[in-house]
Amino acid sequence: MVQIVFLTRFTVGAAFASRDLADGPHLAAGVLVWWLAVVAAYLVNGVLDVKEDRANGSARPIARGDLPERTAALLTAVVAAGSLLLSLYVPGLTPWVALFLLLGWLYSAPPFPAKRWSSTCAVVVFGLGWTSFASGAVAVGGEPGPSGLVFATVMSAWMALVGAVVKDLGDVEGDAVGGRRTVAVRHGAARARAVAVAGALLVGAGGVLAALVWAPLTLAGAVPLAIGAVCMVAQIVRTARAADGDRKTRRSAYRVFMRTQFAANVTMLLALLLHGPA
């Protein structure tokens, strides 16, 4: 699901820059390049998160032992190199791929992995989202324009201020074992839930306001985002008393986060395909 959403961001970025995606001869190559880059970042995280993932009972293949760590590390190098080499076919895309891979490395890798603190995690996650939208525009040889910039910023803020917080609600024990110092680990789940609620309301309302003021076309994505923000708050309130329940219950807010960003991106993409970029 994470990989699908990243590719959706990339495609939305392309749609903001091109009226007809079929006219972008490098789009298919760009999508492949971006998928490889996302897989590389995901593998790096999986290799370096084994201790936490196993403590959390994660079903990720490396944590389960289905994919040996040494093999995963080799695949990471191969996939990252492949994404960089193939990006040379798409004019202007290579620097963005390199930046994305660097951010993926900074997120997970020692000695100071961004994932260790909620603040640095938010900054890097914002960058991972924003580069995905920008790279889509580059792949079709265009620019996202004001509307694209607004939408990319709002959706990246949703990742940074909401997703980066709620993903920790179900992983407090494992994160503590791994030495992380997130809001949930340092201050408890209740504080993390409060931060997530504030972030959801801020981004949900801010997205609609930004659309009304600067980019009316992006209301197509801002409205489902705002609805998702309300659902997020309701879900957090509803499950607050189950903070000590099973991991599935504690991760329910993260599932709302994922569904919301998927709905907002897909709705925005459909609006752009029907009406063209602003």
Side-chain angles (χ1 to χ4, degrees):
M1 188 63 177
V2 171
Q3 295 173 38
I4 292 172
V5 173
F6 266 106
L7 293 180
T8 304
R9 294 182 190 115
F10 183 92
T11 307
V12 170
F16 268 111
S18 174
R19 288 189 175 276
D20 186 357
L21 294 182
D23 287 341
H26 297 109
L27 180 60
V31 169
L32 175 59
V33 166
W34 209 248
W35 176 69
L36 291 174
V38 171
V39 170
Y42 191 78
L43 284 171
V44 166
N45 181 252
V47 170
L48 297 174
D49 269 12
V50 168
K51 185 177 182 180
E52 297 98 307
D53 285 345
R54 287 177 177 167
N56 286 321
S58 173
R60 297 173 76 179
I62 300 174
R64 289 199 314 262
D66 294 343
L67 179 60
E69 294 176 50
R70 188 181 298 273
T71 303
L74 177 61
L75 283 174
T76 301
V78 170
V79 172
S83 67
L84 284 169
L85 287 173
L86 287 174
S87 70
L88 297 173
Y89 174 73
V90 184
L93 188 58
T94 303
W96 289 99
V97 174
L99 177 58
F100 184 89
L101 292 173
L102 175 61
L103 289 170
W105 177 261
L106 292 175
Y107 179 87
S108 301
F112 303 111
K115 66 183 182 182
R116 183 174 295 171
W117 303 277
S118 295
S119 56
T120 53
C121 175
V123 172
V124 171
V125 164
F126 182 92
L128 289 168
W130 209 93
T131 55
S132 297
F133 288 106
S135 296
V138 170
V140 294
E143 297 180 356
S147 294
L149 293 175
V150 167
F151 188 75
T153 300
V154 169
M155 294 309 300
S156 297
W158 178 254
M159 296 168 62
L161 299 180
V162 183
V165 179
V166 296
K167 74 175 182 59
D168 296 331
L169 292 176
D171 297 335
V172 177
E173 296 85 355
D175 288 351
V177 169
R180 296 194 191 185
R181 304 294 295 160
T182 63
V183 171
V185 171
R186 295 178 62 191
H187 303 291
R191 179 70 64 84
R193 288 195 295 270
V195 171
V197 165
L201 294 176
L202 176 63
V203 179
V208 173
L209 180 61
L212 291 173
V213 175
W214 293 299
L217 177 62
T218 64
L219 278 171
V223 170
L225 179 67
I227 294 171
V230 173
C231 293
M232 170 70 72
V233 173
Q235 183 66 21
I236 290 175
V237 171
R238 184 163 50 245
T239 59
R241 295 181 180 179
D244 297 324
D246 59 42
R247 185 169 183 260
K248 182 178 180 181
T249 299
R250 287 179 286 150
R251 282 181 62 85
S252 61
Y254 181 72
R255 292 194 293 273
V256 174
F257 157 76
M258 289 294 290
R259 291 166 184 162
T260 297
Q261 66 170 348
F262 186 73
N265 279 302
V266 169
T267 305
M268 189 71 255
L269 178 60
L270 291 175
L272 289 168
L273 293 177
L274 288 173
H275 301 292

